[in-house]
Amino acid sequence: MSNPTRAGATRPPPSRHNPVRVALVEEDYIVRHALADLLECDRTIAIVGAAGTVAAARALLSAVRPEVVILDPHLPDGDGLELCRVLRAEHPAIRWLILSADIAPEAMLAAIHAGAAGYMVKDLTELDVAGAVKAIATGHSRLDRRPVPSLTHPLRHHDGAHHSPA
Protein backbone atom coordinates (compact mmCIF):
# COMPACT_ATOMS: atom_id res chain seq x y z
CA MET A 1 0.00 0.00 0.00
CA SER A 2 1.51 3.31 -1.00
CA ASN A 3 -0.08 6.71 -0.52
CA PRO A 4 1.33 10.18 -1.08
CA THR A 5 1.90 12.19 2.07
CA ARG A 6 2.28 15.95 2.47
CA ALA A 7 2.47 18.00 -0.71
CA GLY A 8 6.02 19.15 -1.35
CA ALA A 9 7.52 16.48 0.92
CA THR A 10 8.89 14.46 -1.96
CA ARG A 11 12.45 14.09 -3.12
CA PRO A 12 13.69 13.18 -6.59
CA PRO A 13 13.81 9.45 -7.28
CA PRO A 14 16.86 7.85 -5.70
CA SER A 15 19.82 7.16 -7.98
CA ARG A 16 23.45 6.10 -7.70
CA HIS A 17 24.41 9.76 -7.61
CA ASN A 18 21.62 10.72 -5.21
CA PRO A 19 21.08 7.71 -2.92
CA VAL A 20 18.61 7.65 -0.04
CA ARG A 21 20.52 8.20 3.21
CA VAL A 22 19.39 5.51 5.67
CA ALA A 23 20.16 4.92 9.35
CA LEU A 24 19.39 1.64 11.06
CA VAL A 25 18.22 1.46 14.67
CA GLU A 26 17.90 -2.21 15.54
CA GLU A 27 18.66 -3.90 18.86
CA ASP A 28 19.88 -7.19 17.37
CA TYR A 29 23.47 -6.93 16.09
CA ILE A 30 23.05 -9.72 13.54
CA VAL A 31 19.79 -8.33 12.15
CA ARG A 32 21.28 -4.82 12.03
CA HIS A 33 24.30 -5.95 10.03
CA ALA A 34 22.36 -8.32 7.78
CA LEU A 35 19.91 -5.54 6.96
CA ALA A 36 22.78 -3.16 6.18
CA ASP A 37 24.38 -5.75 3.91
CA LEU A 38 21.10 -6.39 2.08
CA LEU A 39 20.29 -2.73 1.59
CA GLU A 40 23.80 -1.81 0.47
CA CYS A 41 23.33 -4.16 -2.49
CA ASP A 42 20.95 -1.51 -3.84
CA ARG A 43 23.18 1.31 -5.08
CA THR A 44 20.35 3.83 -4.67
CA ILE A 45 20.51 3.39 -0.89
CA ALA A 46 23.40 4.50 1.34
CA ILE A 47 23.62 3.27 4.93
CA VAL A 48 24.94 6.27 6.87
CA GLY A 49 24.97 4.71 10.33
CA ALA A 50 23.59 2.13 12.69
CA ALA A 51 22.69 2.00 16.36
CA GLY A 52 21.36 -0.59 18.78
CA THR A 53 19.97 1.57 21.57
CA VAL A 54 17.87 4.71 22.06
CA ALA A 55 20.90 6.60 23.44
CA ALA A 56 23.12 5.64 20.49
CA ALA A 57 20.31 6.44 18.03
CA ARG A 58 19.86 9.96 19.41
CA ALA A 59 23.55 10.73 18.94
CA LEU A 60 23.72 9.05 15.53
CA LEU A 61 20.68 10.76 14.03
CA SER A 62 21.85 14.21 15.07
CA ALA A 63 25.27 13.54 13.53
CA VAL A 64 24.38 11.87 10.20
CA ARG A 65 20.98 13.44 9.33
CA PRO A 66 19.48 10.48 7.43
CA GLU A 67 16.44 10.80 5.20
CA VAL A 68 14.97 7.49 6.39
CA VAL A 69 15.40 5.64 9.68
CA ILE A 70 14.59 1.95 9.87
CA LEU A 71 13.58 1.45 13.49
CA ASP A 72 13.02 -1.53 15.75
CA PRO A 73 10.20 -0.59 18.13
CA HIS A 74 11.76 -2.67 20.94
CA LEU A 75 15.13 -1.35 22.07
CA PRO A 76 16.99 -2.44 25.22
CA ASP A 77 17.05 1.02 26.80
CA GLY A 78 13.67 2.35 25.74
CA ASP A 79 10.68 2.41 23.45
CA GLY A 80 11.49 2.80 19.75
CA LEU A 81 8.08 4.30 19.00
CA GLU A 82 8.60 6.96 21.65
CA LEU A 83 11.99 7.67 20.07
CA CYS A 84 10.22 8.11 16.73
CA ARG A 85 7.64 10.45 18.26
CA VAL A 86 10.24 12.63 19.99
CA LEU A 87 12.77 12.77 17.16
CA ARG A 88 10.09 13.53 14.57
CA ALA A 89 9.49 16.77 16.45
CA GLU A 90 13.24 17.53 16.52
CA HIS A 91 13.98 16.37 12.94
CA PRO A 92 10.75 16.66 10.93
CA ALA A 93 12.45 15.87 7.60
CA ILE A 94 13.38 12.34 8.71
CA ARG A 95 10.95 9.64 7.57
CA TRP A 96 10.50 6.54 9.75
CA LEU A 97 10.05 2.89 8.75
CA ILE A 98 9.20 0.59 11.65
CA LEU A 99 10.60 -2.91 11.17
CA SER A 100 9.00 -5.27 13.68
CA ALA A 101 8.31 -8.95 14.24
CA ASP A 102 4.81 -8.02 15.42
CA ILE A 103 2.00 -8.53 12.88
CA ALA A 104 -0.76 -7.39 15.26
CA PRO A 105 -2.85 -4.56 13.81
CA GLU A 106 -2.49 -2.66 17.09
CA ALA A 107 1.29 -2.57 16.62
CA MET A 108 0.89 -1.04 13.17
CA LEU A 109 -1.58 1.53 14.51
CA ALA A 110 0.82 2.45 17.32
CA ALA A 111 3.58 3.00 14.75
CA ILE A 112 1.34 5.21 12.63
CA HIS A 113 0.30 7.22 15.69
CA ALA A 114 3.99 7.68 16.56
CA GLY A 115 4.47 9.26 13.14
CA ALA A 116 6.00 6.42 11.14
CA ALA A 117 5.56 6.56 7.36
CA GLY A 118 5.85 2.80 7.11
CA TYR A 119 5.50 -0.47 8.98
CA MET A 120 7.02 -3.73 7.77
CA VAL A 121 7.34 -7.18 9.30
CA LYS A 122 10.91 -8.47 9.68
CA ASP A 123 10.56 -11.52 7.46
CA LEU A 124 10.77 -9.48 4.26
CA THR A 125 13.14 -9.87 1.34
CA GLU A 126 15.69 -7.19 0.53
CA LEU A 127 13.57 -5.92 -2.37
CA ASP A 128 10.60 -5.33 -0.09
CA VAL A 129 12.66 -3.33 2.41
CA ALA A 130 14.55 -1.45 -0.31
CA GLY A 131 11.29 -0.65 -2.06
CA ALA A 132 9.76 0.58 1.20
CA VAL A 133 12.79 2.79 1.90
CA LYS A 134 12.62 4.36 -1.56
CA ALA A 135 8.85 4.86 -1.38
CA ILE A 136 9.10 6.50 2.04
CA ALA A 137 12.01 8.70 0.94
CA THR A 138 9.99 10.01 -2.00
CA GLY A 139 7.04 11.01 0.18
CA HIS A 140 4.86 7.90 0.21
CA SER A 141 3.76 5.52 2.95
CA ARG A 142 4.36 1.79 2.95
CA LEU A 143 2.47 -0.62 5.19
CA ASP A 144 2.91 -4.37 5.36
CA ARG A 145 -0.27 -5.94 3.99
CA ARG A 146 -0.61 -8.68 6.62
CA PRO A 147 -2.09 -6.56 9.46
CA VAL A 148 -4.10 -4.33 7.09
CA PRO A 149 -7.15 -6.63 6.66
CA SER A 150 -7.61 -6.71 10.44
CA LEU A 151 -7.42 -2.91 10.51
CA THR A 152 -9.91 -2.36 7.71
CA HIS A 153 -12.39 -5.10 8.67
CA PRO A 154 -14.26 -2.92 11.21
CA LEU A 155 -14.26 -0.02 8.74
CA ARG A 156 -15.86 -2.12 5.99
CA HIS A 157 -18.61 -3.29 8.32
CA HIS A 158 -19.16 0.12 9.87
CA ASP A 159 -20.57 1.55 6.62
CA GLY A 160 -23.75 -0.47 7.12
CA ALA A 161 -23.18 -2.73 4.14
CA HIS A 162 -23.51 -6.44 4.63
CA HIS A 163 -20.56 -8.43 3.41
CA SER A 164 -20.53 -12.16 3.07
CA PRO A 165 -17.41 -14.05 4.10
CA ALA A 166 -15.12 -15.04 1.26
Side-chain angles (χ1 to χ4, degrees):
M1 170 189 287
S2 180
N3 299 333
T5 58
R6 306 180 310 263
T10 61
R11 88 187 284 284
S15 68
R16 280 184 176 196
H17 303 293
N18 187 22
V20 178
R21 296 172 46 81
V22 176
L24 306 172
V25 180
E26 162 65 50
E27 76 165 323
D28 187 293
Y29 176 86
I30 293 171
V31 172
R32 189 168 59 243
H33 286 276
L35 188 57
D37 289 346
L38 288 172
L39 288 172
E40 286 181 333
C41 290
D42 186 321
R43 295 180 189 240
T44 65
I45 295 173
I47 303 300
V48 296
T53 65
V54 168
R58 285 179 161 282
L60 172 73
L61 299 182
S62 291
V64 301
R65 301 290 180 157
E67 294 171 86
V68 175
V69 174
I70 299 176
L71 176 65
D72 182 344
H74 306 289
L75 297 169
D77 62 339
D79 182 340
L81 295 183
E82 183 60 23
L83 176 71
C84 174
R85 189 176 291 107
V86 168
L87 291 184
R88 276 197 75 240
E90 293 175 20
H91 306 283
I94 295 176
R95 310 272 296 158
W96 298 81
L97 172 62
I98 305 303
L99 191 60
S100 177
D102 195 345
I103 63 169
E106 298 81 15
M108 182 185 285
L109 278 175
I112 293 167
H113 288 302
Y119 186 93
M120 306 296 288
V121 177
K122 284 185 180 179
D123 64 355
L124 300 171
T125 66
E126 70 176 281
L127 296 175
D128 291 323
V129 176
V133 164
K134 290 184 263 190
I136 287 169
T138 57
H140 294 82
S141 297
R142 182 64 62 94
L143 300 175
D144 195 300
R145 295 181 185 272
R146 285 169 279 195
V148 170
S150 295
L151 289 172
T152 59
H153 180 76
L155 298 175
R156 284 192 304 253
H157 292 288
H158 181 70
D159 66 5
H162 298 291
H163 301 280
S164 60

